[in-house]
Amino acid sequence: MVSFPIQNCDKCNNISLPLRSHHCSRCGVCIRGYDHHCGMIGGCIGEENHFKFIMFCLTQAIALILSISGLLMTLSELLNKNKEQYLNVPFAIYVLIFILG
């Protein structure tokens, strides 16, 4: 039988922590499989919620791609339809720069 050394947390006095755990100074708790503290979701990313975090990042990337493509399609339609009227084009360009910047 293999025996693993017992880990203790010096900061929160937690005894017998699981392997690969780390104390998060922002949350004040020990997280198993700690990856990082994410300010976007307001919590730590660890072993239990890593898959959900990856799915969150993937859906955000898809939403960004769809937003940019929709804005570019709208911009191209405005440029092709109204060659004399460019009232909405600067606004669309500013929104595109804001999204990409």
Side-chain angles (χ1 to χ4, degrees):
M1 183 170 172
V2 178
S3 63
F4 295 106
I6 297 175
Q7 294 180 337
N8 295 329
C9 181
D10 297 333
K11 296 175 183 169
C12 66
N13 296 326
N14 196 354
I15 301 173
S16 69
L17 295 173
L19 292 175
R20 296 182 55 235
S21 61
H22 179 76
H23 183 83
C24 178
S25 59
R26 292 183 184 172
C27 293
V29 295
C30 292
I31 306 294
R32 182 179 42 180
Y34 180 82
D35 188 16
H36 69 283
H37 182 88
C38 181
M40 291 293 291
I41 64 170
C44 289
I45 307 302
E47 188 175 298
E48 295 179 6
N49 62 352
H50 196 261
F51 179 74
K52 291 178 184 177
F53 178 71
I54 296 296
M55 292 282 104
F56 171 73
C57 291
L58 182 65
T59 55
Q60 293 299 309
I62 291 171
L64 180 66
I65 290 168
L66 290 176
S67 299
I68 291 173
S69 66
L71 187 62
L72 289 175
M73 288 184 351
T74 304
L75 187 60
S76 68
E77 286 179 13
L78 284 173
L79 289 174
N80 289 334
K81 275 186 182 178
N82 306 325
K83 295 201 178 202
E84 291 84 22
Q85 297 177 349
Y86 293 113
L87 297 176
N88 293 329
V89 174
F91 176 72
I93 292 173
Y94 292 141
V95 171
L96 182 63
I97 290 171
F98 179 74
I99 289 174
L100 294 176

